[in-house]
Amino acid sequence: MSTPGRGQDGHTGQGLQLAPFRGLRYVPERVGSLAAVTSPPYDVVVRPDGLRLLETADPYNIVRLILPQAATAADRHRLAAETLRRWQDERVLAPDPEPALYVYEQRGEGILQRGLIGALRLTPPEEGVVLPHEDVMPHIVEDRAALMRGTGANLEPLLFSYRGNGDGMTGAAGVIERVIRTEPLLSTATDDGYAHRLWSVTDPGDLARIDKDLSHQQALIADGHHRWATYLRLRAEQPAPGPWDFGLVLLVDTARYPLRVRAIHRLLHRLPAADALAALGGSFRVRTVEGPLPRALEALAEAAVGEEPGNAFVLAGDGRYHLIDRPDPDLLARTIPADRPRAWRELDATVLHSTLLEHVWRVPDDPEHIGYIHDTAAAVEQAERHGGTAVLMHPVREDVVRELAEQGVTMPRKSTSFGPKPATGLVLRSLALN
């Protein structure tokens, strides 16, 4: 089995290499509960309310590392590094005794997901081993890079998917199915209704079977494009080979455990809903739909995948819900680049960014003007509170995402939200230990 220290030259296969590492985990006796110290991924925490809720759940909540609060960016990253060192000194966080891969299970909302957490060998895009499907925002990569550089740690696993052969008896799937029948390292349930269990895999035979199986696979980045870009950036800064050649991920075989795909909605901070609707003119059909929110989302789904499917969005922010669909074909032809595959040109996210944001509404694509929010209710509430516009979107199918990624075509950033996402705080990777 390869180890992080061997670097790229130690890899014998052409696909994925998931290396064991010494996980850094909370000591249960030192915290109120494991559930109280976990968090959603950094970009899912709805700030400021969600951040305050997590900070008050437990003084050692992981959000103090992934979203530290201070006056400047430099102070935030310095605070996170100091906090991580202090928690290790106080034995709030402690390393496992030997390197391992970790089997991770999530149950909730009718979903069962199992996968492997490990240190994945970083590969450049041209190798085609890891497939991104979204663009990234440079300022976020810069922020995450400074945080990882300061802490010397991968604080949360990225969510990657691959397509196994569906056989649960051999390879990585066989190891997972056998390991889950043993006693887990930890078991907890979080407030979002999900139950989490974690096991370690240290047996050399099991590690070799996983390594051989994954060496023939390629992975789709389901969640974590900015952090993957951060991994690649930091590796380029460091001498090789070394621990920066690898990054913390959760690999899920979607042939056995299909991921759920949800949309990421837009919050247009400085565009009131009335102005957004007025600017449409006759370029889209506009209908006011009945609330409450679930009913409006049903109308959106029907417009997106019904008898006459097409691009559709729900606008909110003025206390009502407005379904806009059936865009003017001539407008689309003028505003959407023609040098991309048809599947890309027909994406809702493409129409939103290329047609609505750039040409109709003329909204700059920067954090001052556009927010990205996973939760529909939170998007609507913030739009109504601050006089902006929430643009609610319908999710893209996973097969469309993978098809475009295999062609090397990236979607507009924040086009999809795959899940369930791994809880942050169950296992960390300190580069000083690996």
Side-chain angles (χ1 to χ4, degrees):
M1 181 67 189
S2 305
T3 62
R6 289 176 60 183
Q8 187 168 337
D9 294 338
H11 180 52
T12 58
Q14 298 300 310
L16 303 171
Q17 179 190 355
L18 193 67
F21 69 102
R22 289 183 68 193
L24 189 63
R25 297 190 296 113
Y26 281 99
V27 177
E29 296 78 15
R30 300 284 289 138
V31 297
S33 71
L34 288 175
V37 295
T38 62
S39 163
Y42 80 100
D43 58 340
V44 182
V45 176
V46 179
R47 293 173 272 190
D49 294 344
L51 183 61
R52 282 196 293 266
L53 181 64
L54 290 166
E55 286 181 329
T56 57
D58 189 284
Y60 298 113
N61 189 282
I62 193 70
V63 77
R64 298 180 186 275
L65 298 181
I66 63 172
L67 289 173
Q69 299 301 293
T72 67
D75 287 342
R76 290 195 297 272
H77 304 140
R78 189 180 306 110
L79 176 61
E82 292 171 354
T83 301
L84 179 58
R85 285 194 295 270
R86 185 175 72 254
W87 288 0
Q88 292 181 82
D89 291 342
E90 295 174 356
R91 299 288 294 175
V92 172
L93 289 168
D96 282 335
E98 59 182 320
L101 295 180
Y102 296 86
V103 173
Y104 176 47
E105 177 190 273
Q106 293 165 279
R107 287 180 181 267
E109 296 184 358
I111 289 178
L112 171 62
Q113 179 172 286
R114 293 183 181 127
L116 290 165
I117 295 177
L120 185 68
R121 181 180 72 97
L122 306 184
T123 56
E126 57 268 22
E127 286 192 18
V129 176
V130 172
L131 303 174
H133 69 267
E134 290 183 356
D135 295 330
V136 298
M137 291 175 271
H139 74 282
I140 295 180
V141 176
E142 173 59 36
D143 178 74
R144 292 295 100 182
L147 180 66
M148 287 189 205
R149 199 182 292 116
T151 58
N154 301 151
L155 299 173
E156 43 187 346
L158 286 56
L159 176 60
F160 281 24
S161 72
Y162 71 99
R163 300 286 294 178
N165 60 15
D167 177 10
M169 304 299 293
T170 60
V175 173
I176 290 173
E177 296 306 313
R178 186 172 63 258
V179 167
I180 60 170
R181 296 184 177 91
T182 65
E183 187 71 18
L185 288 175
L186 64 84
S187 179
T188 190
T190 46
D191 290 342
D192 58 6
Y194 279 91
H196 309 262
R197 294 198 293 174
L198 192 75
W199 297 260
S200 65
V201 179
T202 58
D203 178 78
D206 284 341
L207 295 174
R209 279 184 282 275
I210 292 170
D211 194 43
K212 180 179 179 181
D213 186 6
L214 295 181
S215 70
H216 304 290
Q217 301 289 348
Q218 61 180 180
L220 176 72
I221 302 178
D223 185 67
H225 284 82
H226 289 90
R227 285 165 289 169
W228 179 255
T230 299
Y231 288 168
L232 294 176
R233 175 172 177 171
L234 293 175
R235 183 189 65 170
E237 297 175 1
Q238 304 295 327
W244 294 93
D245 293 343
F246 291 72
L248 187 63
V249 305
L250 165 64
L251 274 178
V252 175
D253 178 0
T254 53
R256 295 184 57 76
Y257 301 104
L259 295 176
R260 180 187 61 203
V261 188
R262 289 181 172 173
I264 301 177
H265 312 289
R266 273 56 171 170
L267 177 62
L268 310 183
H269 300 297
R270 300 184 181 181
L271 181 67
D275 293 349
L277 291 164
L280 292 174
S283 59
F284 281 73
R285 183 176 69 168
V286 180
R287 291 174 289 163
T288 300
V289 296
E290 294 292 331
L293 178 57
R295 187 178 299 174
L297 294 176
E298 288 176 5
L300 174 61
E302 183 177 339
V305 299
E307 294 182 1
E308 297 184 53
N311 303 117
F313 311 90
V314 165
L315 306 186
D318 61 354
R320 296 182 295 172
Y321 300 101
H322 309 276
L323 177 66
I324 67 170
D325 63 355
R326 299 188 183 179
D328 176 12
D330 291 337
L331 175 65
L332 298 183
R334 292 195 309 271
T335 57
I336 294 179
D339 60 345
R340 300 289 185 91
R342 178 178 176 180
W344 182 89
R345 298 197 307 270
E346 294 180 348
L347 289 170
D348 286 343
T350 298
V351 172
L352 173 61
H353 283 262
S354 295
T355 302
L356 285 169
L357 293 176
E358 291 184 20
H359 292 275
V360 175
W361 293 330
R362 300 190 181 278
V363 174
D365 192 358
D366 60 52
E368 291 185 10
H369 292 85
I370 304 177
Y372 296 85
I373 299 182
H374 294 71
D375 184 78
T376 51
V380 173
E381 189 273 335
Q382 290 198 33
E384 292 181 347
R385 180 190 298 180
H386 301 293
T389 298
V391 183
L392 307 183
M393 304 178 68
H394 190 73
V396 184
R397 299 194 317 276
E398 182 181 357
D399 59 334
V400 173
V401 176
R402 185 174 289 275
E403 174 192 342
L404 289 171
E406 289 173 349
Q407 297 178 58
V409 178
T410 56
M411 300 165 63
R413 49 183 170 260
K414 298 294 183 181
S415 294
T416 61
S417 175
F418 283 86
K421 303 178 192 304
T424 298
L426 295 181
V427 60
L428 291 64
R429 175 175 176 255
S430 168
L431 277 74
L433 298 170
N434 296 279

